[in-house]
Amino acid sequence: MDDPAFDPTPDHPAQGPAMVSDNDRALTALRQELVARDVRDAETARHHSQVLVDLQHRVRNTAALVRAAFETSIETAENLEEVERHFCGRLNVLLRYQLPLPLGSHGDVNLERLLRDELQHFEFGSAPGITIVGPNVYLPLEQAQPFGLAIHELVTNALKFGALAEKDAKLKIRWVMSGQVLDLAWSESEVPGLSEGPLHKGFGRRFIEDGLPYQIGADTSLVMQSDGIVCRIAWPLGARTNGGRR
């Protein structure tokens, strides 16, 4: 007679091959997810680190530009009112490219918009003697700031002494792309009363001739002709601003 206390059926049936296979797949999927999460975390950490490096780089460059603008404004101004006017104008340009308003979808700045905005700031956005022509180009933000300051200096000089100070004078701004190199020419003409000769070494000229090569790796020239200034600025769009020229 069978013992009723004895039950040959185990409380927990042995795992069959199908169940073992399911467990293995689940463990493998979990390991893969953990590995993928570690990779994502490492990529996020690298991205945050690069953002911090870029931010520090921009802050250093901006501080150097502000210092140079202030020192030169003091050196070249005849009184405190001129110091305030020149320095505040330069500071406003630098701050403009710290804010998101002029940025495109990729954090860059449209070249033609930059030029027109700077001219419009002095109420010359649609003057008949101004020609602006070139392909659709976007500048990396770190290049737009020093380039915008150079354009501000050219506009200010043209307003005081050049094409924007004379009713019948002409200003043509033209740029072309050659590979990744942007080549821009600022040409003033039909400005009366000028003579060819050396230009005054003020902040604008020093920044264009010395600052832009350092900041964006540009080749620049600034020449006084018999009827106006001609400035050429050419630089690789892919180059980082300095901290070091490429």
Side-chain angles (χ1 to χ4, degrees):
M1 181 173 164
D2 293 336
D3 185 351
F6 176 76
D7 184 354
T9 304
D11 292 334
H12 304 287
Q15 294 180 334
M19 187 173 295
V20 171
S21 178
D22 288 343
N23 288 341
D24 288 344
R25 282 196 292 268
L27 288 172
T28 299
L30 179 59
R31 292 191 189 99
Q32 291 173 342
E33 174 59 28
L34 291 174
V35 170
R37 187 177 303 172
D38 288 342
V39 170
R40 290 195 299 269
D41 289 346
E43 290 175 348
T44 299
R46 284 194 296 270
H47 174 71
H48 288 168
S49 177
Q50 186 60 52
V51 168
L52 181 59
V53 169
D54 290 344
L55 179 59
Q56 292 172 335
H57 182 82
R58 285 184 57 200
V59 168
R60 285 196 299 269
N61 277 353
T62 300
L65 289 173
V66 171
R67 186 183 306 113
F70 181 68
E71 291 174 350
T72 308
S73 296
I74 291 177
E75 291 173 4
T76 58
E78 296 182 359
N79 52 55
L80 289 177
E81 287 76 13
E82 280 196 10
V83 171
E84 179 183 11
R85 183 170 67 255
H86 293 322
F87 178 67
C88 286
R90 290 159 180 163
L91 183 61
N92 286 337
V93 174
L94 296 175
L95 293 177
R96 193 176 303 157
Y97 299 104
Q98 298 296 319
L99 302 175
L101 291 178
L103 301 185
S105 59
H106 300 292
D108 44 23
V109 179
N110 182 268
L111 173 60
E112 182 173 350
R113 180 175 176 181
L114 182 154
L115 294 165
R116 293 191 182 279
D117 283 354
E118 191 58 38
L119 287 164
Q120 186 60 50
H121 181 74
F122 292 95
E123 301 181 357
F124 283 93
S126 57
I130 298 175
T131 301
I132 299 176
V133 59
N136 193 33
V137 172
Y138 284 83
L139 306 182
L141 182 59
E142 60 182 4
Q143 295 185 1
Q145 186 183 65
F147 177 75
L149 182 56
I151 294 301
H152 172 82
E153 295 300 316
L154 288 169
V155 172
T156 301
N157 185 77
L159 184 62
K160 291 166 64 177
F161 309 113
L164 300 181
E166 299 292 339
K167 179 180 178 181
D168 297 324
K170 307 296 182 185
L171 168 61
K172 183 174 183 179
I173 307 171
R174 180 178 181 272
W175 63 94
V176 295
M177 289 294 302
S178 178
Q180 286 298 306
V181 175
L182 174 62
D183 193 335
L184 179 139
W186 169 290
S187 303
E188 300 179 34
S189 61
E190 301 182 32
V191 181
L194 297 179
S195 59
E196 295 185 31
L199 292 165
H200 173 64
K201 191 80 169 181
F203 173 79
R205 181 183 170 191
R206 286 196 299 217
F207 183 71
I208 290 170
E209 293 183 338
D210 302 327
L212 285 183
Y214 177 79
Q215 290 284 328
I216 62 175
D219 292 322
T220 66
S221 63
L222 190 59
V223 178
M224 174 69 80
Q225 297 187 344
S226 60
D227 64 343
I229 285 176
V230 175
C231 178
R232 179 179 168 272
I233 305 171
W235 77 99
L237 288 185
R240 288 186 59 87
T241 52
N242 222 316
R245 284 183 62 179
R246 282 203 330 179

